[in-house]
Amino acid sequence: MSAGETRKNVLLVSFDDAVAFWKYKTVFGEVLQTPNLDRICAQSTAFHAAYCQAPVCSPSRASFMSGKAPHQSGVTGPNKYYFETIKPQELWPYKLKQEGYFCSSGGKVMLGYGPLEDDIHSVLFSDKPKKFGGDWQIPEHVSMGFGGLKGGLAARDAKDNPRFYDHQSARSFKRFLNTYKGDVPFYREVGFFGPHGPWITPRSYKEMYDETGFRKPEAWKDGFEESAFMELHNGHNINSEKFRHWRKSVRNYFSALSHTDHHLGRVWDALKASKHADNTLVVIVSDHGLHLGERNRFRKHTLWEQVANVPLIIHDPDQPVAQVVNDPVALLDVGPTVLDYAGLPPIEGCVGLSLRPQINWERGPDRAVPTFLKDSSAIRKGKYRYIRYADGSTQFFDLAKDWWQTRDLGSEHPDYAEIKAAHAACCLEYGFDVEAAEAALTA
């Protein structure tokens, strides 16, 4: 931070199970409607090749909030109580609080939809915990079903809109802006429920989409080369050949993402109408993506591109222009980036990098970025995606030619050995020794 430069406020907005939406605008025929994400991207840096370090909620959030990869922290799978493994003092927001930031919670960002336990909350935040009602609390008598996976439930009447978690999370942020009178910079979290299942929305968001307009991508026509390991450990949960059911399911997901996008717009408008508009760094992220019917899956917990690739948007009010970065980056980079803007030293031992150079129009380093699913792992490097499963089997894809990963290039491909070696080196850097794991397999 240069002399005389004031520290920016930080607003961290977290989506839950959000796909890299820019890839899905027209891929299913019906246009995915995200007007607020679109207008924010028009004055922000969008990282189109950002990857979660775990395709599961709690290990992903534990990772990008601590700056530690899953095997470094020990949180490699679903864990509702990961603060038993990672101390709150190890999270980078704690460093902001130590340096004088007013830290304020607001929804699911670190862990869970409810408030953190008091002894943890008091370490991380300067204000009181906040509790929001959930979409799952919409009474049956005020809802209706549109079909598809999870039933496609929707609230019948607009008067029930304030019941939704995302409505309350956005409202809480607006109240924070109206009441915050501090003379120190703030760190504020806005955690959204959407577009996590069961994709309950107000009725108007289901009706926003014509379900008959959805169609499958041409790339799906000849099917997918499957992984026997994934078939065993994370099998199918939807039959996409049942076309009407599939398109209703995609409609449900799209409607949930559009609903959360609406509340993101409320947050953005409130910020930009406030006195903090020109001095607040905004980071928008999702913990991981979701399969939307390809490979007969409508779920997470895999290492394929559609789950590992996530939206990551950073708005620096000093650089309010559209920029797309296609260099692979990691969610682990979020903490180092925020601390860089705050003029604070990087997280000790963190392999993540500050993204501030890319925001300032510099090229990023040529790097491999990993995603881990317990003892299975994958990297994105250049145009390739390489996956090594815990049983030793692998898959190798050219994303430039085959984004849906329908055809495994195999170990005979001329670039396979190079990418395999890059994968082993990357995993070791992020705390996972692939060679030791392979040796254990053959022992």
Side-chain angles (χ1 to χ4, degrees):
M1 181 176 293
S2 61
E5 184 179 359
T6 59
R7 294 187 296 177
K8 287 181 170 65
N9 306 309
V10 179
L11 170 61
L12 177 63
V13 180
S14 171
F15 282 62
D16 203 344
D17 290 15
V19 297
F21 65 95
W22 34 67
K23 295 280 192 178
Y24 291 82
K25 279 296 186 178
T26 59
V27 73
F28 295 134
E30 275 288 289
V31 177
L32 173 60
Q33 299 183 42
T34 55
N36 296 297
L37 281 163
D38 297 343
R39 66 185 172 113
I40 293 171
C41 285
Q43 47 188 307
S44 306
T45 301
F47 294 86
H48 280 206
Y51 291 89
C52 65
Q53 274 51 79
V56 189
C57 179
S58 50
S60 177
R61 293 171 185 269
S63 176
F64 77 76
M65 296 305 296
S66 68
K68 295 181 178 181
H71 289 88
Q72 293 174 320
S73 70
V75 183
T76 60
N79 188 331
K80 295 181 179 179
Y81 306 103
Y82 73 68
F83 282 111
E84 295 176 357
T85 304
I86 300 177
K87 296 179 180 179
Q89 291 87 347
E90 297 179 61
L91 274 57
W92 53 261
Y94 175 74
K95 298 181 183 298
L96 296 179
K97 186 181 178 186
Q98 277 190 310
E99 292 297 322
Y101 273 73
F102 183 91
C103 295
S104 174
S105 65
K108 182 181 180 180
V109 173
M110 297 183 182
L111 179 69
Y113 298 109
L116 298 175
E117 295 180 4
D118 288 346
D119 58 336
I120 296 172
H121 181 98
S122 62
V123 171
L124 292 164
F125 298 107
S126 310
D127 58 2
K128 294 181 179 179
K130 304 166 189 67
K131 183 177 181 180
F132 307 139
D135 302 10
W136 54 89
Q137 295 174 330
I138 303 294
E140 289 187 9
H141 71 275
V142 304
S143 65
M144 58 191 300
F146 283 77
L149 202 61
K150 307 291 186 182
L153 293 178
R156 296 175 184 271
D157 198 306
K159 66 180 176 58
D160 292 305
N161 291 1
R163 295 176 181 266
F164 285 89
Y165 189 98
D166 292 351
H167 181 104
Q168 295 172 44
S169 182
R171 181 177 60 193
S172 174
F173 175 71
K174 294 173 70 175
R175 287 175 176 169
F176 170 79
L177 286 181
N178 290 333
T179 58
Y180 182 65
K181 307 298 183 183
D183 56 3
V184 298
F186 63 75
Y187 163 75
R188 183 51 155 84
E189 298 180 347
V190 174
F192 287 130
F193 178 88
H196 194 285
W199 313 302
I200 304 172
T201 65
R203 176 178 181 174
S204 60
Y205 288 88
K206 294 292 191 301
E207 295 173 341
M208 180 182 293
Y209 293 100
D210 176 8
E211 69 181 69
T212 66
F214 288 96
R215 62 175 182 268
K216 295 179 184 177
E218 186 67 21
W220 294 16
K221 184 178 180 180
D222 295 325
F224 300 81
E225 289 191 20
E226 192 51 272
S227 157
F229 181 87
M230 290 309 298
E231 285 280 354
L232 180 63
H233 294 280
N234 189 275
H236 303 167
N237 70 328
I238 189 173
N239 183 356
S240 296
E241 294 304 309
K242 294 183 177 180
F243 183 59
R244 292 183 62 189
H245 181 71
W246 170 79
R247 67 189 186 188
K248 288 175 183 287
S249 302
V250 177
R251 185 271 323 279
N252 294 343
Y253 182 88
F254 273 29
S255 67
L257 184 51
S258 294
H259 178 230
T260 302
D261 176 81
H262 165 74
H263 293 297
L264 173 65
R266 296 173 60 211
V267 167
W268 180 259
D269 289 342
L271 174 64
K272 289 304 178 181
S274 76
K275 64 181 181 179
H276 306 291
D278 297 329
N279 193 36
T280 300
L281 183 77
V282 182
V283 180
I284 302 172
V285 70
S286 178
D287 50 1
H288 48 72
L290 200 75
H291 289 298
L292 299 185
E294 73 278 8
R295 300 179 182 273
N296 287 320
R297 290 174 172 84
F298 219 105
R299 65 195 314 174
K300 46 199 174 190
H301 291 85
T302 81
L303 291 170
W304 290 301
E305 183 78 1
Q306 288 70 33
V307 175
N309 185 207
V310 294
L312 173 59
I313 303 162
I314 299 180
H315 172 73
D316 179 351
D318 294 336
Q319 296 252 55
V321 293
Q323 181 186 183
V324 171
V325 174
N326 289 308
D327 300 318
V329 301
L331 286 192
L332 272 179
D333 300 335
V334 170
T337 303
V338 171
L339 295 181
D340 188 0
Y341 271 97
L344 300 176
I347 304 167
E348 184 177 354
C350 177
V351 294
L353 304 175
S354 172
L355 300 177
R356 198 170 184 182
Q358 285 100 308
I359 296 170
N360 291 328
W361 301 92
E362 296 179 20
R363 279 299 305 270
D366 180 18
R367 64 194 287 209
V369 175
T371 303
F372 301 94
L373 180 59
K374 295 187 177 179
D375 288 334
S376 297
S377 52
I379 61 166
R380 165 71 189 275
K381 180 171 174 57
K383 64 180 182 178
Y384 292 120
R385 182 156 200 82
Y386 175 92
I387 305 173
R388 180 204 174 274
Y389 296 104
D391 65 354
S393 62
T394 65
Q395 290 186 312
F396 183 44
F397 302 101
D398 182 342
L399 297 177
K401 297 179 179 179
D402 183 20
W403 182 73
W404 290 107
Q405 301 130 103
T406 63
R407 295 293 172 261
D408 184 352
L409 298 175
S411 59
E412 300 304 315
H413 189 279
D415 291 336
Y416 179 90
E418 177 186 346
I419 299 301
K420 179 183 178 182
H423 166 263
C426 176
C427 287
L428 189 61
E429 181 185 11
Y430 281 71
F432 178 55
D433 190 336
V434 176
E435 293 183 357
E438 289 181 345
L441 278 171
T442 57

